[in-house]
Amino acid sequence: MPNKEIPYKIYLEESEMPKQWYNVRADMKNKPAPLLNPATLKPMTFEELRHVFCDELVKQELNDTDAYIDIPEEILKFYKMYRPSPLVRAYCLEEKLQTPAKIYYKFEGNNTSGSHKLNSAIAQAYYAKRQGLKGVTTETGAGQWGTALSMACSYFGLDCQVYMVKVSYEQKPFRREVMRTYGAKVTPSPSETTEVGRRILQEHPGTSGSLGCAISEAVEAAQAQEGYRYVLGSVLSQVLLHQTIIGLETKAALDKYDIVPDIIIGCAGGGSNLGGLISPFMGEVLRGEKDYRFIAVEPASCPSLTRGRYVYDFCDTGKVCPLAKMYTLGSGFIPSANHAGGLRYHGMSSILSQLYHDGYMEARSVEQTAVFQAAEQFARVEGILPAPESSHAIRVAIDEALKCKETGEEKTIVFGLTGTGYFDMVAYEKFHNGQMTDYIPTDEDLKPGFDGIPKFPGNEI
Ligand SMILES: *Cc1c(COP(=O)(O)O)cnc(C)c1O
């Protein structure tokens, strides 16, 4: 190991920024299963998908073979406004924990949207604009994706319509107003503005909504308007591809100082930040060049990897989207009201699902009070006030560092710090007041979700 002093923050020069995204599917022997048309159960074709997504994004979605995909100049230009993001050596946290482990985190909260989601929002808005579309529709849970997309759309002059999960719409008025500042139209979901929204309201009067519902409404809204397409902030392979900017920068920064990580940790909602962070490292493992441990962290209240089934399922509650093969709790599963809105999705990226299934990645579920303990500990020593979602990764990074303390091992731990938590202070308040509870669904609670998984030959749960 060369004896270079590691700075608190490792930045890349602008000239060292990645100019291509890395498509890990190219190096996977077992490719993720294709999206299926729910009516025919045949793989979705380019022609079918282009009615929902814009053309270039469909090509990326279907591309299992090109390892590198050029990042267009306009996107690179936008990236430069808030990237490269720093890779921070958590010296203060290490000291506090008295651990021999070396901890690094890649901080993605340094932009107005407060999370990594801008990395894909800008790409999706760019391709929509280039195709001459008028606007895009989408869903948002906690609001980070809607915020990122509204910023990206205002940059390119596209109309942006956001269906926001009703409970968040009511509890997070500040996020909503950020979106409106960037010109987006925000509708609480389920709403009366779509057929599927009206149906869901009739079946579940008074429901506070879910991501799955909001997706169904956004898809319907896109199809009902000329010149509109639907865009999604996670789960899809195209989103994971855009997020590889995180992992490529991380790897370039580590390489600069000859640092080799032992463990790479990220929180997993739909899988895009984790997939983006680990992709370049996973590629090395898949090609037989290196060996790393990867850990996905999810809430115990929405445990798709640790307790879900690996089957084809609907991506949305209204069952209007294609079927994806993934670890899933069932599209009808509505998680308890935990405070990590971005980790409440019932399924998981089909790329990560396949990698997990093949044993390349571990998964761990954590309870929210333990997550907020870690968040507070981190905030007090590292200064950054983390998002609840990101704090799932902090929890496991701390746990792993404490294990090193016991064994004396000097492991190098890298984790993804996906965003800041300024809009989540109600959750922090509950934690501080001792009003936060840990709810873990029983097998019985999970059963209705599993029962709703589509049944066809080869898709037994
Ligand atoms: C949306 C979000 C996540 C989870 O989404 P992934 O697609 O799994 O990355 C994590 N952290 C933050 C801050 C988010 O906004």
Side-chain angles (χ1 to χ4, degrees), residues 334-345:
I334 297 188
S336 69
N338 75 62
H339 293 288
L343 305 183
R344 286 166 56 94
Y345 187 62

Side-chain angles (χ1 to χ4, degrees), residues 115-117 144 234 267-274 342-343 387 389-390 418-419:
S115 82
H116 65 287
K117 292 208 170 64
Q144 289 97 318
S234 184
C267 63
S272 74
N273 88 80
L274 175 67
L343 305 183
E389 292 87 349
S390 324
T418 50

